[in-house]
Amino acid sequence: PLVDPRFAQLALLSRSDEFILKQIDNAAFAGNQEWAIKLLDHAFFYMPDNPYLISKSIQFYLLYGFGDDIVQKIDRHYNVFSNDLNELAKFATIFNKNGKYGWAIMYYERCNQIKPDDFTILHNLAINYTNAGDKNKAGIIIEKLLKMKPGDTEFLLMLLPFI
């Protein structure tokens, strides 16, 4: 899809975080991946430490498979949002859905530090350890979960894939 040249020029001249992030979303929604990438690159030139831009770039990497220095961006994202349970859990879920189990585990482990013994966090952590092939760590977490919900038939049925 084509971009109006006047609007494109305005987007490239802008230094407004909100405006550029919105334009990146609009380009992606319109299916104009090339323009979205150009806007991301432009935004990183002017605001390389913007946490929401870092979040967006990780999401784009996972959606479209592009991105320079993605490991660096994930590390920065993790550090910037290290105490934000909602953001960490959101990205842990995104990583899990995209088969990036190592990153999902890193984020769920931090969630567990923030909110210890949360059933949902531990359950997701066990799933990711299982998917990553670490059955021992998954087993330890599953034992803990069983102690949290002894005799819960619904939970026992949820564990069938682990057995």
Side-chain angles (χ1 to χ4, degrees):
L2 298 175
V3 178
D4 181 332
R6 292 169 294 172
F7 199 67
Q9 188 63 29
L10 179 62
L12 292 174
L13 290 174
S14 175
R15 301 295 179 265
S16 165
D17 297 9
E18 289 180 31
F19 181 75
I20 291 178
L21 291 170
K22 181 72 174 159
Q23 295 313 306
I24 293 167
D25 284 339
N26 289 343
F29 183 74
N32 196 338
Q33 181 181 346
E34 186 179 318
W35 179 238
I37 292 167
K38 186 172 183 171
L39 287 172
L40 264 174
D41 289 343
H42 167 72
F44 268 112
F45 182 77
Y46 291 101
M47 49 184 174
D49 296 321
N50 182 295
Y52 300 102
L53 181 61
I54 295 167
S55 295
K56 188 150 311 291
S57 69
I58 295 168
Q59 290 172 332
F60 269 65
Y61 166 76
L62 294 170
L63 281 172
Y64 303 117
F66 83 89
D68 296 328
D69 306 325
I70 194 63
V71 173
Q72 253 185 331
K73 288 175 184 163
I74 290 170
D75 286 343
R76 284 175 33 204
H77 180 267
Y78 182 83
N79 290 329
V80 168
F81 290 102
S82 64
N83 292 313
D84 186 335
L85 182 63
N86 291 331
E87 182 77 3
L88 292 168
K90 176 178 121 180
F91 271 81
T93 301
I94 290 170
F95 290 138
N96 175 57
K97 287 180 180 177
N98 285 277
K100 308 296 184 192
Y101 305 120
W103 288 333
I105 289 168
M106 179 175 84
Y107 275 65
Y108 278 128
E109 285 285 4
R110 179 64 187 134
C111 290
N112 189 47
Q113 290 172 352
I114 294 170
K115 193 173 180 184
D117 299 326
D118 179 84
F119 186 84
T120 302
I121 291 169
L122 288 171
H123 180 253
N124 288 327
L125 198 50
I127 289 170
N128 279 279
Y129 273 122
T130 300
N131 291 339
D134 194 337
K135 305 271 187 207
N136 291 330
K137 285 188 180 177
I140 292 167
I141 295 169
I142 289 168
E143 285 179 26
K144 189 174 189 174
L145 290 169
L146 285 170
K147 289 177 185 172
M148 292 170 79
K149 291 205 176 204
D152 185 333
T153 309
E154 187 177 321
F155 174 64
L156 292 173
L157 289 172
M158 275 183 9
L159 288 180
L160 286 177
F162 296 103
I163 300 172

